[in-house]
Amino acid sequence: MVSTQGQVQDLRSAIVEQPGTIQYTCFHLEHHGQRINDFTELSEVTDLAAGSEIRLIEDPYTEREARMHLVRVREIIGAAGNRVDAFNGVDAGLSLHENVAPWTGSDAGFAAKQKTANSKLSATENPLSDFSFDGPPLIQTLVPRNQEPLPKTIKGLCVSPWNPPPPAFRQRGHFLYLQLTTNEGEQFQITSHVSGFFVNRSSNSKFDPLPKASPKNAMAHSLLTLIQNISPSFGDTFKAVVEANNQREPLATFQLTSAIPSNPWLVSASSSSSTAHQSDLTRTQETYLLSGVENTETLRDWNEEIQSTRELPRETVQDRVFRERLLAKIFAEFNDAAARGAALVARGEVAPLNPTESKDAQIFVYNGIFYSFGADGVGTFTSEGGDEAARIAVGKDVAGVRSVNQLDIPGLATPGTIIVDYLGRRLVAQSIVPGIFKQREPDEPQVDYGGVEGKDVVADNDAFVSTFSQVSKALRVKRHSVWDKEGKEHVLEGSVETKGLLGTDGRKYILDLYRLTPLDISWLDAYWTDSVGHGQKPLDRNYPHRMSVLRPELIDAYWRVKMSEFVKAELDKRKDEKKDETALENVEQPGQNSSGENEIAQKDSTLNTEENGNETRKDRGRVDISEFSFSLNPDVFCGQVPQSLEEKEEWSNDEREVRAVAAHLHQKIIPEFIHDLKEGEVGFPMDGQSLSRLMHKRGINIRYVGKLASLSKDGSPRLQALKGLAEQEIIARAFKHVANRYLKNLPTLMATSCLAHLLNCLLGYETNISPKARLDEDLQDLYKDADYSFANATPQSLQTDVEAQTQLRYRYTLEDSWFSSVRPAQLLREIALKLGLQMVAKDYRLSPAPDSGNVDGGPQINGNATHSPIDGQLVNGTSSNGGKKKKKRNGGDSPPASTSTSTILEHPLTFVPDDIVNIVPIVKDSSSKSVLAEEALEAGRISMMQNQKELGQELLLESLSLHEQIYGILHPEVARVYHQLAMLYYNLNEKDAAVELAHKAVVISERTIGIDSDETILSYLNLSLFEHANNNTAVALACQRHALELWKIIYGPNHPDCMTTYNNAAVMLQHLKLFHESRVWFEKSHAVSEQMCGKDSISTASLAFQLAQALALDQDHKGAVNRMREAYSIFHHKLGADDRNTKEADSWLDQLTVNAVSIAKHAKDVQAQRIRRALFTPRVTLRTQPQAPVGRSSAEGLNGHAPQSNGSLDNRSIDELMKYIESSGDATRKTPTKKRKNPRSRRA
């Protein structure tokens, strides 16, 4: 069943994925004998209705389709082996969803085992049984399980040495010659023909590509069918492969085509079975199979494709869907191709167009894409900060291109643009604009609009005014005057740095969009000063560049403030006018009453007022905002010199407005941000990425992260947590700048040695106080011009460098103890993500090595590991087994003892170069979001807020369909829509739909955003809630466990928002009648709330209320009364006696108190009876002996150690006896007796 709203291409994709038609790749579809165009919608097919039949017709092959068919068949039969990608990293697009829990079953199995209220589940049945709240992060959480290898369907399938066909046979329709080796050991030579595939007569030494004679002749349209016909065992093994693949989550196996896959920062070692390199001859031939003999199929005119796609019609919804789908596709393909080329340029594998220039000034063209370095190679930014300013400018340019792309203004073109950070360098990749390299006449400027050579030469062109004005209006850029070096005035719609170029293709291009917003003058006034000659800048004014601009989000926030002021002023004006009218009526009232004409006029006025009453009420609250305007001049404080007094006054007003925006950031935005995090008004960030994203959303630049840390120093526990997270982000970014400085002039082969040494100086200095860089002397001799200064770095020098960078870039002074107080595991993750490192997943020694073996003998993290969880790996040159075994075994990776091994044992290193498996590029693109899909999503949200559930649900489903059609399923935006829709269905009580969407959101988030990203963690937590609501609490607890383990990896224990997760886990355990385990989680949630929110907060009171109920279920009645009393006291103090929470707590307190008194009285009576029996001299028979009271041994009773053992009754009261027994019981527990394995098993 397919929908008529879908595309024919979607139907084709579904056909090739179905088991019954998986063998087809070259075909077309027909309806009533008429061929269906593959690039149309199904709704456009004539007479196509429900129940119509569409026929699949095999097509003749072309050479390209034959090559694609071979690649496809190799993949589906499992013969492709592992694919080595030079761009994407190890395990790119990984998903751990299948490892978290068995996604089947329900709570029925648990209910069957819960025969009594106190029955327990085993550790395997309760995923949270061995969870450690404050334990170290478990590295194995990020490593996928080793999967059983799929059965081999064939021994080999590759391109034959006889390939390519000679001209004579090419005329007969031969495309490829293949060589197949079956599991039976037979070898077949196969010809790819225009009609299909057949077995030919060739052998390894003889060439005869004609069909083989009977009985071994075979021919089929599909290569898959041909293999099945000639190999008897292929059918069974291929069926086993299909069944194994069908058991996996489909979204976890689909290839990512519309987004760059995420790369995990921890991967299995290259020696691991999961990443073992396999022999595959055809892997070397994939370039030919994908690109053809001449490699012409990958050479594309990217700029023409992007611009022609933008110019597609957009009148109807179908036109917009088709256009935006093609745009998303072409941008995804351009980003992938540009990033791959940038990696090659950074490694020095592409020849420059200007080899005689300095390295920073060199430019490159590869695969139709233009590359340059993000450095000031030609002196453009000399006065702005040089290389530092150029690096920032290209980053702002990408953000500006993305903003203009989002506006989607007809008639305005932008080149495809990305930036790539790789091996210490920043590269810019752009599609080639036609005419940008054209040499113009001497008196003709190189650009047609804006500044030509900075602000000295300015070009005017009326053809650009209309399109640029649309950009300026949308981005709130003021139309203003600028002056060239001769003092001539030019009126521009944008910044003088923004350029317009009329390409040779006739299109208007907008370039250099790094100054769409004004400079942050408050920051520059405080921390920047122009260089005077070659003198040293003062330390308090030495910010590295002058490209500090305000964020667009801040401009929008200030626009809203000005808008609200305008509306308020208009409303106040109306009130004043109304007061004046009322006063005037009161003055004229006597004269009107004496006139009959006035009475008639008053009646007519009343009638008109009644008729137009509705319109008057509607218009009364409306304000015409067409007169409101707000825009900023981006060129203020940039050296412009107004000429006339009027111009100077206007310029002064523009400067005043920009200063007001900068002041708004300091006086309003940042304090509100701190307040919201302190009060829990917004979700607390989990790592540096989420903190940066939250700051940017509020309009706060990342350079203010130091100010956030300073404002949080003496605050509440939540602000202390913010301070720690901000400092971690500052240190990670400072380390990145230090590392980039060393990597910039190093050959690629030395990058891992450099990074390993720097990491040893930062995080491994306690293991080895004087780490030495490991360098290959032979390679040093090969690269004599390289800069090896990183080898001289020490922990002390690196500490000084990091402190200098934090002060220079973030104006923050780290505490003296920061070097030893950082969270090493979390800091290592931040550094790896910022530099693109993929490291071996093992427990790195990030703390001092113990003097002796591990006492507990259990696995630990941060240097005390007794056994590495990944394939029994050794930890940094020392044995990872217990302390006693450590003396008997050699360290290092090689079993036999050697001199080098002894040296490593004497001077261990936390990180070695081999620990860095790969370095991947960090890509920032300029792709825009789908306007159509976002509009549908926003309309659905508004409808839901207005309680129009049916309309809202329909719009949201339409938005989901649009997202899937435009982006493809595997895309971050689709994951976010799945996440939002799952929440919607959960609130609508449609649990099954919520669970299904939440599962998809988890898998797509893992593959496109990251397996340990904050969004993935939130997706797992939501999935846990939905599974629990769907009566699948066991799986819900597994999701909780996985999310909490990830939480510890990226943040550490006791995140300010984790108390909600702990509370949810406790409720789930309570649902499974695991009352004691539930109590433990309630207690932890309550403890975190006391720490983060305070002991007298409403949150703590609510958790104390729940904890009291949990204690009552766990038979701790005294504790339950105490906790409920605490909750009641807080509610009564904070909310008052009449509040519902206070009354409910009071009611529960009365019930728990009565229950506790009753139980205590009963227990006292039971104890009294036992005491009376124990105080009489027992009559001991031959075969019996008295049983000792609780907490006493039999020997104590028989040997006369019981109190008052003379046979008389004790004259103390029962209360005194109870106190004595309880104290003596405590004393007896202190005597050296045999330890119990599980102290928790003894409870009431």
Side-chain angles (χ1 to χ4, degrees):
M1 299 293 292
V2 295
S3 171
T4 56
Q5 300 299 321
Q7 301 278 338
V8 176
Q9 286 283 1
D10 297 334
L11 179 58
R12 287 182 60 94
S13 300
I15 289 174
V16 299
E17 296 295 338
Q18 295 299 317
T21 54
I22 197 171
Q23 69 271 23
Y24 294 108
T25 62
C26 185
F27 61 90
H28 70 270
L29 301 176
E30 289 186 358
H31 178 59
H32 293 169
Q34 298 295 321
R35 180 168 182 155
I36 300 176
N37 191 328
D38 293 339
F39 300 97
T40 60
E41 288 190 2
L42 289 172
S43 58
E44 299 177 7
V45 179
T46 307
D47 298 333
L48 185 65
S52 298
E53 182 180 282
I54 299 177
R55 299 181 61 84
L56 184 151
I57 307 298
E58 297 173 346
D59 279 342
Y61 286 96
T62 62
E63 183 196 1
R64 181 181 182 278
E65 288 170 338
R67 288 188 276 108
M68 295 299 104
H69 184 79
L70 173 60
V71 173
R72 166 72 175 165
V73 169
R74 278 172 46 81
E75 289 179 350
I76 63 178
I77 67 176
N82 63 313
R83 177 170 283 117
V84 179
D85 196 324
F87 169 67
N88 293 321
V90 181
D91 289 336
L94 174 68
S95 173
L96 299 176
H97 176 267
E98 298 173 340
N99 298 351
V100 174
W103 301 108
T104 55
S106 64
D107 293 339
F110 291 99
K113 295 187 179 184
Q114 294 172 352
K115 298 180 180 179
T116 63
N118 293 326
S119 63
K120 290 186 177 182
L121 300 178
S122 65
T124 57
E125 293 168 334
N126 176 16
L128 299 178
S129 59
D130 58 343
F131 179 78
S132 174
F133 293 105
D134 300 318
L138 299 179
I139 299 302
Q140 59 265 38
T141 306
L142 299 180
V143 180
R145 299 193 196 121
N146 290 332
Q147 298 181 352
E148 295 184 3
L150 296 174
K152 289 186 69 66
T153 55
I154 58 174
K155 289 186 177 181
L157 175 61
C158 61
V159 178
S160 169
W162 298 114
N163 207 68
F169 288 99
R170 179 172 291 277
Q171 293 295 329
R172 300 186 185 186
H174 293 198
F175 295 135
L176 298 171
Y177 298 131
L178 312 177
Q179 183 172 296
L180 169 69
T181 305
T182 65
N183 284 342
E184 293 80 11
E186 290 189 86
Q187 188 179 90
F188 295 90
Q189 300 286 339
I190 299 175
T191 297
S192 170
H193 189 259
V194 65
S195 61
F197 297 83
F198 60 82
V199 178
N200 63 37
R201 306 173 188 174
S202 297
S203 65
N204 290 334
S205 58
K206 178 186 176 182
F207 176 67
D208 187 357
L210 297 178
K212 201 167 190 176
S214 182
K216 292 189 176 182
N217 63 328
M219 181 176 181
H221 185 267
S222 171
L223 179 60
L224 186 69
T225 307
L226 177 65
I227 299 174
Q228 191 168 1
N229 293 338
I230 61 180
S231 175
S233 63
F234 177 80
D236 295 335
T237 54
F238 179 64
K239 182 179 179 182
V241 169
V242 172
E243 291 177 354
N245 289 331
N246 289 339
Q247 292 177 359
R248 300 191 62 191
E249 167 63 42
L251 292 178
T253 59
F254 289 163
Q255 185 177 358
L256 279 86
T257 58
S258 58
I260 296 177
S262 65
N263 295 292
W265 67 280
L266 285 178
V267 296
S268 300
S270 56
S271 59
S272 173
S273 58
S274 61
T275 58
H277 198 46
Q278 303 169 4
S279 174
D280 183 13
L281 179 62
T282 311
R283 185 168 51 229
T284 62
Q285 304 166 344
E286 279 192 349
T287 302
Y288 157 69
L289 292 176
L290 296 174
S291 307
V293 177
E294 304 296 334
N295 197 26
T296 56
E297 296 180 16
T298 58
L299 299 178
R300 302 163 63 176
D301 188 344
W302 294 105
N303 188 76
E304 181 60 31
E305 290 189 39
I306 292 173
Q307 309 312 332
S308 59
T309 304
R310 280 205 180 105
E311 293 167 355
L312 289 173
R314 59 178 86 180
E315 283 75 19
T316 65
V317 174
Q318 289 79 9
D319 290 341
R320 294 180 65 185
V321 171
F322 182 72
R323 176 178 175 273
E324 293 189 1
R325 180 179 183 179
L326 285 184
L327 272 176
K329 180 178 180 295
I330 188 63
F331 272 118
E333 293 173 350
F334 170 79
N335 294 339
D336 182 75
R340 290 177 185 275
L344 294 177
V345 171
R347 290 199 293 262
E349 299 178 16
V350 179
L353 297 181
N354 53 342
T356 59
E357 300 286 343
S358 64
K359 190 169 184 179
D360 289 341
Q362 290 177 350
I363 58 176
F364 308 82
V365 172
Y366 179 78
N367 197 11
I369 301 173
F370 173 74
Y371 296 93
S372 61
F373 290 108
D376 191 21
V378 294
T380 305
F381 297 94
T382 302
S383 62
E384 309 291 328
D387 289 345
E388 290 282 355
R391 183 183 180 91
I392 297 299
V394 295
K396 298 296 183 184
D397 183 39
V398 169
V401 173
R402 187 187 308 116
S403 299
V404 174
N405 286 342
Q406 192 65 43
L407 298 177
D408 200 11
I409 297 174
L412 187 62
T414 57
T417 308
I418 70 165
I419 58 174
V420 178
D421 292 328
Y422 187 54
L423 297 176
R425 287 186 167 272
R426 171 164 287 187
L427 293 101
V428 188
Q430 292 181 308
S431 60
I432 300 176
V433 176
I436 195 170
F437 295 126
K438 179 183 177 182
Q439 292 295 329
R440 302 196 180 190
E441 297 297 329
D443 58 342
E444 187 180 3
Q446 288 297 112
V447 297
D448 299 290
Y449 189 77
V452 181
E453 300 174 2
K455 58 181 180 292
D456 293 337
V457 180
V458 181
D460 291 322
N461 192 326
D462 294 338
F464 286 85
V465 173
S466 61
T467 52
F468 272 51
S469 63
Q470 297 180 58
V471 176
S472 300
K473 183 178 180 180
L475 300 179
R476 302 185 177 90
V477 177
K478 183 178 181 179
R479 187 172 185 263
H480 61 282
S481 299
V482 296
W483 298 265
D484 57 23
K485 61 183 179 181
E486 298 177 355
K488 182 181 179 181
E489 181 184 8
H490 303 267
V491 180
L492 298 180
E493 295 291 341
S495 168
V496 69
E497 304 292 347
T498 303
K499 301 172 179 58
L501 177 67
L502 187 62
T504 55
D505 57 356
R507 298 186 178 100
K508 300 170 188 174
Y509 291 88
I510 184 170
L511 307 173
D512 292 349
L513 297 168
Y514 53 83
R515 280 271 296 281
L516 293 178
T517 56
L519 294 175
D520 186 357
I521 190 59
S522 61
W523 180 272
L524 294 177
D525 283 347
Y527 305 120
W528 167 267
T529 184
D530 294 327
S531 299
V532 179
H534 297 283
Q536 193 74 15
K537 291 185 178 182
L539 293 179
D540 59 338
R541 304 289 296 278
N542 64 341
Y543 194 67
H545 60 83
R546 202 176 184 272
M547 295 301 298
S548 305
V549 298
L550 301 173
R551 290 197 61 84
E553 296 88 349
L554 174 64
I555 309 298
D556 292 340
Y558 192 74
W559 176 85
R560 288 192 291 270
V561 170
K562 300 296 287 184
M563 170 68 79
S564 62
E565 292 177 356
F566 173 80
V567 172
K568 184 176 182 300
E570 288 293 318
L571 293 177
D572 292 341
K573 183 179 179 182
R574 290 186 182 183
K575 289 180 182 178
D576 294 339
E577 291 176 353
K578 186 176 181 181
K579 289 180 182 179
D580 294 341
E581 291 177 359
T582 304
L584 183 63
E585 289 176 359
N586 292 335
V587 172
E588 295 178 353
Q589 191 68 26
Q592 290 179 357
N593 290 337
S594 61
S595 173
E597 294 179 358
N598 288 338
E599 291 179 3
I600 296 174
Q602 187 175 0
K603 291 180 181 179
D604 293 341
S605 176
T606 303
L607 290 175
N608 292 333
T609 302
E610 291 177 355
E611 292 175 358
N612 301 323
N614 294 332
E615 295 182 3
T616 304
R617 293 189 199 99
K618 290 180 181 179
D619 295 337
R620 188 176 300 164
R622 292 181 179 178
V623 176
D624 183 12
I625 62 173
S626 60
E627 298 179 1
F628 172 76
S629 64
F630 171 78
S631 57
L632 296 175
N633 184 347
D635 287 327
V636 294
F637 308 110
C638 293
Q640 292 291 331
V641 182
Q643 302 298 313
S644 65
L645 291 176
E646 183 180 353
E647 291 169 352
K648 292 179 180 179
E649 183 179 357
E650 182 180 1
W651 202 260
S652 178
N653 293 332
D654 292 344
E655 291 180 345
R656 192 179 304 112
E657 196 72 33
V658 171
R659 288 190 181 276
V661 178
H664 181 70
L665 172 65
H666 292 269
Q667 298 171 5
K668 186 74 173 177
I669 299 297
I670 293 179
E672 283 185 354
F673 181 76
I674 296 288
H675 175 269
D676 291 347
L677 287 176
K678 178 182 177 181
E679 301 299 328
E681 300 293 334
V682 295
F684 199 90
M686 298 183 187
D687 60 352
Q689 288 183 328
S690 55
L691 175 62
S692 302
R693 188 166 58 248
L694 188 59
M695 290 176 62
H696 290 165
K697 188 176 181 181
R698 294 294 186 97
I700 306 173
N701 301 83
I702 199 64
R703 59 178 170 269
Y704 286 103
V705 67
K707 183 170 184 176
L708 295 182
S710 300
L711 295 175
S712 306
K713 278 186 176 180
D714 302 323
S716 65
R718 287 180 68 90
L719 292 186
Q720 289 296 320
L722 174 62
K723 171 180 171 289
L725 189 59
E727 285 185 344
Q728 177 178 290
E729 180 68 5
I730 290 173
I731 295 169
R733 288 177 176 268
F735 179 87
K736 179 189 71 172
H737 287 290
V738 174
N740 285 340
R741 186 183 69 204
Y742 288 120
L743 290 171
K744 183 177 179 180
N745 298 315
L746 268 183
T748 306
L749 297 177
M750 295 296 184
T752 56
S753 297
C754 172
L755 291 168
H757 179 63
L758 294 178
L759 288 174
N760 281 324
C761 292
L762 179 70
L763 300 175
Y765 72 98
E766 290 184 336
T767 301
N768 188 334
I769 196 170
S770 300
K772 302 296 181 184
R774 293 190 177 181
L775 292 173
D776 191 323
E777 295 181 358
D778 295 335
L779 291 179
Q780 280 185 276
D781 294 337
L782 289 175
Y783 299 98
K784 294 181 179 180
D785 296 335
D787 181 9
Y788 299 103
S789 59
F790 74 89
N792 300 326
T794 63
Q796 294 75 22
S797 67
L798 181 65
Q799 179 179 358
T800 302
D801 289 343
V802 171
E803 290 174 353
Q805 289 292 326
T806 59
Q807 181 62 35
L808 176 68
R809 298 178 183 277
Y810 308 106
R811 300 295 150 176
Y812 184 73
T813 302
L814 294 169
E815 298 175 358
D816 295 336
S817 60
W818 75 267
F819 210 53
S820 57
S821 61
V822 297
R823 291 177 290 190
Q826 287 73 33
L827 182 58
L828 176 62
R829 174 182 177 271
E830 293 289 350
I831 291 172
L833 292 178
K834 286 175 172 53
L835 292 174
L837 307 184
Q838 289 192 296
M839 309 187 68
V840 175
K842 65 181 182 182
D843 296 333
Y844 291 98
R845 194 182 300 278
L846 302 176
S847 61
D851 295 334
S852 59
N854 189 347
V855 177
D856 297 332
Q860 298 181 7
I861 310 293
N862 298 344
N864 298 334
T866 59
H867 184 72
S868 176
I870 312 301
D871 297 335
Q873 296 170 350
L874 302 179
V875 181
N876 306 315
T878 58
S879 173
S880 58
N881 294 313
K884 295 181 180 179
K885 295 182 179 180
K886 186 181 295 184
K887 299 178 181 179
K888 299 180 182 180
R889 300 182 65 178
N890 297 317
D893 296 332
S894 56
S898 64
T899 305
S900 62
T901 302
S902 302
T903 303
I904 295 173
L905 284 173
E906 291 176 4
H907 302 286
L909 292 174
T910 301
F911 303 95
V912 296
D914 289 343
D915 289 335
I916 302 176
V917 178
N918 191 26
I919 303 177
V920 296
I922 306 298
V923 180
K924 299 178 182 178
D925 61 67
S926 59
S927 304
S928 59
K929 296 181 180 179
S930 168
V931 178
L932 183 61
E934 291 295 324
E935 288 175 354
L937 182 61
E938 187 63 25
R941 289 174 182 164
I942 295 174
S943 299
M944 296 301 299
M945 292 173 61
Q946 295 175 348
N947 204 26
Q948 300 176 358
K949 293 185 177 180
E950 293 185 2
L951 176 61
Q953 188 172 351
E954 182 179 350
L955 288 172
L956 289 172
L957 288 175
E958 181 66 23
S959 172
L960 174 61
S961 175
L962 290 173
H963 275 85
E964 291 178 341
Q965 289 183 57
I966 293 170
Y967 295 114
I969 296 180
L970 298 177
H971 194 278
E973 293 300 322
V974 178
R976 296 181 181 110
V977 173
Y978 278 139
H979 181 85
Q980 296 177 23
L981 285 181
M983 290 293 296
L984 168 68
Y985 280 112
Y986 176 71
N987 294 329
L988 294 176
N989 204 28
E990 297 187 22
K991 302 173 184 177
D992 292 334
V995 168
E996 180 182 357
L997 291 172
H999 276 287
K1000 293 181 178 180
V1002 163
V1003 177
I1004 301 174
S1005 296
E1006 286 183 323
R1007 300 197 65 193
T1008 60
I1009 304 174
I1011 58 175
D1012 59 347
S1013 68
D1014 61 306
E1015 294 185 52
T1016 299
I1017 293 176
L1018 292 177
S1019 296
Y1020 267 113
L1021 292 176
N1022 282 343
L1023 175 60
S1024 173
L1025 294 178
F1026 304 157
E1027 289 281 8
H1028 171 65
N1030 206 28
N1031 199 31
N1032 202 4
T1033 308
V1035 172
L1037 289 175
C1039 294
Q1040 289 270 3
R1041 172 66 181 265
H1042 186 71
L1044 289 171
E1045 294 290 359
L1046 293 178
W1047 214 334
K1048 285 201 296 183
I1049 289 173
I1050 75 170
Y1051 178 84
N1054 297 335
H1055 185 273
D1057 289 344
C1058 68
M1059 55 188 175
T1060 303
T1061 303
Y1062 291 162
N1063 187 73
N1064 292 337
V1067 172
M1068 295 176 190
L1069 291 169
Q1070 210 171 67
H1071 174 75
L1072 295 177
K1073 302 188 184 305
L1074 299 173
F1075 298 129
H1076 182 69
E1077 288 78 1
S1078 174
R1079 164 187 176 167
V1080 172
W1081 285 80
F1082 275 124
E1083 288 175 340
K1084 183 61 178 178
S1085 177
H1086 181 261
V1088 174
S1089 180
E1090 284 186 334
Q1091 177 187 354
M1092 293 295 170
C1093 305
K1095 294 186 177 182
D1096 58 346
S1097 65
I1098 301 297
S1099 172
T1100 302
S1102 301
L1103 291 173
F1105 184 92
Q1106 290 182 287
L1107 177 57
Q1109 296 173 326
L1111 292 171
L1113 290 174
D1114 198 31
Q1115 307 301 317
D1116 186 355
H1117 304 285
K1118 182 178 179 180
V1121 172
N1122 292 334
R1123 291 301 183 189
M1124 190 60 71
R1125 187 178 292 114
E1126 292 177 12
Y1128 171 75
S1129 299
I1130 298 173
F1131 284 143
H1132 188 273
H1133 176 69
K1134 294 283 187 178
L1135 304 177
D1138 297 331
D1139 187 78
R1140 180 177 61 85
N1141 294 298
T1142 307
K1143 293 180 180 179
E1144 189 174 358
D1146 186 30
S1147 175
W1148 271 91
L1149 180 59
D1150 292 341
Q1151 297 177 20
L1152 290 175
T1153 303
V1154 172
N1155 191 32
V1157 170
S1158 175
I1159 293 175
K1161 183 177 180 181
H1162 176 70
K1164 190 179 295 184
D1165 293 341
V1166 172
Q1167 289 291 341
Q1169 293 177 4
R1170 292 179 179 176
I1171 291 171
R1172 292 190 185 95
R1173 288 197 300 269
L1175 294 178
F1176 288 102
T1177 303
R1179 298 176 59 186
V1180 182
T1181 60
L1182 181 64
R1183 295 186 178 181
T1184 62
Q1185 59 182 4
Q1187 182 177 356
V1190 176
R1192 306 287 300 279
S1193 64
S1194 299
E1196 289 175 334
L1198 292 176
N1199 296 332
H1201 294 293
Q1204 303 291 337
S1205 57
N1206 56 3
S1208 61
L1209 292 172
D1210 197 305
N1211 55 7
R1212 288 177 289 186
S1213 67
I1214 294 178
D1215 291 336
E1216 291 175 340
L1217 288 173
M1218 289 290 296
K1219 291 181 180 179
Y1220 180 84
I1221 290 173
E1222 291 174 355
S1223 62
S1224 63
D1226 294 337
T1228 57
R1229 282 194 288 270
K1230 297 178 182 178
T1231 59
T1233 57
K1234 185 177 180 181
K1235 294 182 179 180
R1236 305 179 63 92
K1237 293 183 178 180
N1238 186 6
R1240 292 184 178 178
S1241 61
R1242 292 187 68 241
R1243 67 179 192 272

